[in-house]
Amino acid sequence: MAQRRAGFAAWYDTVANFKVESLFTRHRGPGAPRTIFVNQNLPNDYFDPKGRPKKEHIFPTNQVISSKYTIITFLPRNLLEQFRRIANIFFAFIAILQFFPEFSTISPGLVIIPLLIVLGITAIKDGYEDVKRHQSDRHVNHSQVRVLAGGEWVNPNISGKKSRTFVKGIVPRRRPKRKDVNKSGGGDVEAAATPHHDPDIEYDRADSMAEGEHHLFGHDEENTRPHWHKTLWEDVRVGDFVKIMDDEPIPADVLICATSEEENVAFVETKNLDGETNLKSRNASPALTDLRTAADCASKINAFSIECDRPDSNMYKLTGAVTRNGEKSPVDLQTVLLRGTVLRNTGWAIGIILFTGVDSKIVLNSGGTPSKRSRVERQINPQVLVNLAILAIMAVVCGIADSKIEQTQYAEGAPWLYGDNVSYDNPKINGLITWAFALITFQNIVPISLYISIEFVKTCQALFIYFDYDIYYAKKDQPTQARSYNLSDDLGQIEYIFSDKTGTLTQNSMVFRECSIAGKVYHGDPEEDEENMKKVEGTSKEVVRETSNDSSYVSTSTDGARSPSNDQRAVPSATNAAAVKLSSGVLKHFHDEQLSQDLARAVEAEPGSENAAQARSLNGFFSVLALCHTVLTAVDPTTRAIEYKAQSPDEAALVQAAADVGFIFRGREKEILLLQTPFSRDIERYELLNILEFTSARKRMSIIVRKLDEEDGRLFLLTKGADSVIFERLKAGGEELKRTTEAHLEDFANSGLRTLTLAYKVIPEDEYESWAERYHEATTALDDREDKVEAVCDEIERELRLLGATAIEDRLQDGVPETIADLKIAGIKIWVATGDKLETAIAIGRSTNLIAEESNIIIIRGGDQGHSVYQQMIQAVEDFFPDSGILDEHGVVTDAHKSPSADPTSPYPLRRLSTGLRDVVGNDNGQRSGGFVLVIDGSALGSALPDDHHKSLLLRLATQCEGVICCRVSPLQKALVVRMVKDGLGVMTLAIGDGANDVSMIQAADVGVGISGEEGLQAVNSSDYAIAQFRFLKKLLLVHGHWSYARNGIMIVNFFYKNIVCIGVLWWFQIYCGWSSSYAFDYTYLLFWNSFWTIAPVLGIGLFDRIVDADVLMAFPELYRYGRERTWFSMKSFVIHMLDGVVQSVPLYFIITYAYFTTTPRADGYSIELYEYSTTMVFATVIAVSLCNGLNTNVWTGWVFFAVFIGIIILWIFTVVYNAISPGWFATNVYGNNYFLFRSAYFWLCPPLTIAIALLPRYLYRAWQLGYAPGDLEMLRYIRKTRPDLDLSTLRSEKINYRPSTSSRRRTSSRMSRPHSRASQTSSADSLSLDIRRIQDPRCASRTDMSTGIRSVHRGFDFSTEEGGVAMRRMQTNLSERRQSSRILAPLPNIQQGSPKRKASLRIFSSLRRKKSPTLRKDD
């Protein structure tokens, strides 16, 4: 029996989870490997004997469609989606049944009209939503890109035809034709026929193409020359050459041929793919770097082919080869620009299309548009099945009873059964007919108007969201939009939120907030309040936006763009530019009055004076900021100011801050760094000798430079990195400075700021020479090169001197910390899925309140090093959740009471990392009240998700944590994580993002929310709701979501209730009509039951009911638990309302029936007619149902009063008019009923009595609940009613404590909030406050890396830069070549002689403005 139930449940689940889109979506198998031919014909084996191209050699178009329907598929797909509703199938069956004469009630055509109206209105709504998607798709597909055309250019590669949609209609398709690249005049017909002065045509200027310039020609004869023609994205084909300009998005996956930069490097912004804001460097394919003009690309001499592997969703892998002149050159991801990225800081790039449309990696990582249904709608189906089962039982009972009665009465000679002995009229056949007719009589048990009412209510709820000014973004004139109208109630049941980081939680912008120099904190001037900052932000971004598209920026670096053309010679170089403008991604300049005064005193300081030490510290600190980076400089030809071009906004903010205080980085001349400082009138020159790259493992970056100065030729090591790695490499001594800086770092981290620690070292010449030899050997080693380089770097990065620390704010979206804190209080678990690296993800987690100060961070990494992912998860459960029972479920035998970290024999012991500071971790990590946050990277997810056993373990481990951060994840992994939680736990999920990399996650979640950010509209186009700011999510869920769910849930159960009361009255009447399925009252009353009499009260609930007011829901996020716990709509509430309806139908029928039949109400003594007393029953039932619906409404407003009583009024008017219609108009059964009905005392006395008796149980329960067992909602409603002016947020038992967020607070207030940590002078108070704070909070934000077993302390460190990128490799190559060539040259004699003398100098980098000799000290 159990197996049978299990089989039925499995069958039902299969039917319920059936996806209609699977029938209409083309399931393309894995694409075949491809070869792209350029300037040569396709091989003959690419065609069949008839000359038609083979299917595997036809590439998809670049058209990308996110819509669901086309003109052809709209009708069948939409009907299938609607008939997933069991009720619609039932209504169709009943309508078809009434087309047979035996079961006809009224005209069969009229019977089916309600169903057609329901289907039609829903189809119109769905069609409107999809038209909006088509319009969004059209906006993307009709973007333009420059494509090679003209001359003899022909693209021989064959692409398929574009899809036809709502927008273009049905157009006949033509088969692709074979193209001959050798055919004369084979150029683009469109390009050849284009008239002159066509703005879509651009020619290369032969003498300036190397500089990346272009202009227009108007000569007719030149239209046939090779040129660049602006073409729609959807018309781009595989094998096309494209030219992409600076700041333009990439239309498809493009192989780079050449760029405007030195060594053909291109910089791209990949935040649409991986969420990272730092720029990535890509380089051109070495075999194609000579294709720099349209003429070169179109020349038949330049023929080649490109072999590519099959299309792959792996965002980090691409394999191919270019074959040219018989030689092969490799193609990998480093030479490809992916669709979804944006070209930055590069004048132009020419490339060839490899993958288009559905074959591009970003589209492969996004799924098709799903057909989402709300949970409430899915829950209605089982309830409809229950009602259908009740209906079936009622029909069977009527059929059997009628058959038995006829058999008995026929034998007794009943005259009304005369002749019932023929084949088509006998008791058995009549029983079957009665059964079928009973289905029609009691069909209202499943109301057809329910679904149309739900659609109407949800549409109005979408409008309520649209017109809510609180979630309207005035800056962009953007309201919150519901793109899918049928998911409003799901917003009130969310249990898990999956959020992107970049652009969703952050603004992709940095602010240099504070710094600690030699133990003194500089906070920045507080007079710039939020309004002033917004003005600065708006102005600066406008300037950047206007000028960044100009490819004539003057580069002051050999690593930057090429030299300008002759007409740009008036633009100054960076060495003499007068100003420094805000860099892209930096919101404001840094200014501190105290710092300015200190610098002014430092400049005038004499050696040996009390200000000399501070002068050295200031000079050294900002010199490190201005020199230790990979930033490029450019001059804006409009403003004639320097603008820094950085690979990440972090570096831009650091260099910008140094420039703001006077340390201006003036660019590079090969390996010579140019720096202007307040301490020198001339530009200082530094020779860059080595770059010790930043990696996530090293957590630091260092450079070795030589000061090119006649007086000072010393060697310096400049380092910046995490405090944990810098502090352990510091020189002994200076404990006071270390402790003070450590205290400042904790304050910065507690404010949610990113921290960076700076240090330096003077390197003796002889020590450097020996180290340089070892470094050269390590970099040229064939075995274990990385380990050897790391060991050698570690040698030189010792005995450092601490300079200070910086604090940068990754500007959050407004209200993000508060919103996340409230959502967590509401019981919603928040997971962050980002493509950023681990440190960045943790830093954002802290600043957004996702990681609390007391949180224990568990890190699980993938990769070949360390323990396996499965072992790490087992170890984490063993160490932190030994009593959870997870290991028992997975068959892992362990001692739950034994901590593996404390057992030296444990195979994976955890160890604590000594940072050179006070040990602040302790052995009780994981046993504190802060809870746990799991951080897992994409590599680990790649190992865990494919295996069901590992995925189950990961899910159980993650559910033990209060938050999860997934870093370094691909778009497809984001969707897999969402599905893992949604399917594994059966919970309601919401995904929110703003970029194309979030589309798959948005589509996989139950509710997808897109943010209209700076990353385009891809996320919005695929979302169910579009908002402008993350903070709007709070009201969208806590108010609109909660209201919608409560309204819809209460409305639906009241819908079932009001119909079961009517069906109950009809059912009791069957006892007295021989179970013949006859109607108790006139059929018109039954026909209009759901249309006029009782529809308004339930619509009033769905539209105007409020469980509590909006401000109460916002002030008390805990109330959201009513939605998470599915309070407002469940099988329990359904059963209660159904039973209540049945109970109420008893007095409504029997009291009125026996009152009328006991003594006739007529004055003439005649007995009554059926409709005389049944009409009284109709009045009593309608009034009782309407009042009960009103009783179930929480807030009575004018609209609710109107909704409750309008049906009753309409019933009165209808009855009076209907009973007065004479047979001369049309025949009715109730003509003249007014004469008997309204004169009867029973009509006026029975309804009040029966209504009071029927509603008494419900009323007594509500009264008892309010008086003796009130819940939170009842108490809050009572308080609001009795004290409307009271601010209910003051009633909270405890305040919501938000972590201070620099993005939402003024600097002055933040200083006052922590006076002990904001001391401006180094004093003993700093140490005292640090000790007190540590006593109060001895362990703060500890983290455990399960891969290595290391436990450490996190103080907000984060630094974003490209690891191992092309730009860094190029700089390293130049340095390596220079070292190699200089190994045979003798060093400069003055530097050799000067270095030993300068070794003991107190000065850092430059002399303070004076001529006398510096004072020597032994300890330097």
Side-chain angles (χ1 to χ4, degrees), residues 999-1070:
V999 169
S1000 56
M1001 175 176 70
I1002 287 173
Q1003 292 177 337
D1006 293 288
V1007 179
V1009 178
I1011 295 182
S1012 300
E1014 299 179 359
E1015 299 186 22
L1017 298 175
Q1018 293 94 330
V1020 171
N1021 293 344
S1022 303
S1023 66
D1024 304 305
Y1025 291 87
I1027 62 178
Q1029 295 279 289
F1030 183 85
R1031 69 177 187 271
F1032 294 163
L1033 190 64
K1034 177 182 176 182
K1035 188 171 186 181
L1036 186 64
L1037 297 184
L1038 301 189
V1039 177
H1040 288 287
H1042 203 169
W1043 274 354
S1044 297
Y1045 174 50
R1047 288 168 173 172
N1048 294 348
I1050 297 174
M1051 178 187 73
I1052 292 170
V1053 293
N1054 276 273
F1055 227 111
F1056 284 121
Y1057 150 78
K1058 71 182 184 63
N1059 279 33
I1060 199 65
V1061 173
C1062 174
I1063 298 302
V1065 171
L1066 294 178
W1067 173 253
W1068 303 129
F1069 176 71
Q1070 301 306 311

Side-chain angles (χ1 to χ4, degrees), residues 1200-1221:
V1200 173
F1201 273 99
F1202 173 80
V1204 168
F1205 293 104
I1206 185 63
I1208 301 173
I1209 295 173
I1210 293 175
L1211 176 65
W1212 274 88
I1213 297 174
F1214 173 82
T1215 301
V1216 172
V1217 174
Y1218 186 57
N1219 290 349
I1221 296 176

Side-chain angles (χ1 to χ4, degrees), residues 1221-1273:
I1221 296 176
S1222 66
W1225 291 91
F1226 57 86
T1228 66
N1229 295 322
V1230 293
Y1231 173 66
N1233 195 30
N1234 290 338
Y1235 179 82
F1236 302 102
L1237 184 66
F1238 298 121
R1239 293 187 176 191
S1240 170
Y1242 291 158
F1243 174 80
W1244 300 103
L1245 296 178
C1246 284
L1249 177 63
T1250 54
I1251 292 171
I1253 295 175
L1255 298 184
L1256 186 62
R1258 169 72 60 171
Y1259 178 80
L1260 291 177
Y1261 169 75
R1262 293 296 298 271
W1264 172 84
Q1265 183 185 41
L1266 183 61
Y1268 296 96
D1272 296 334
L1273 297 175

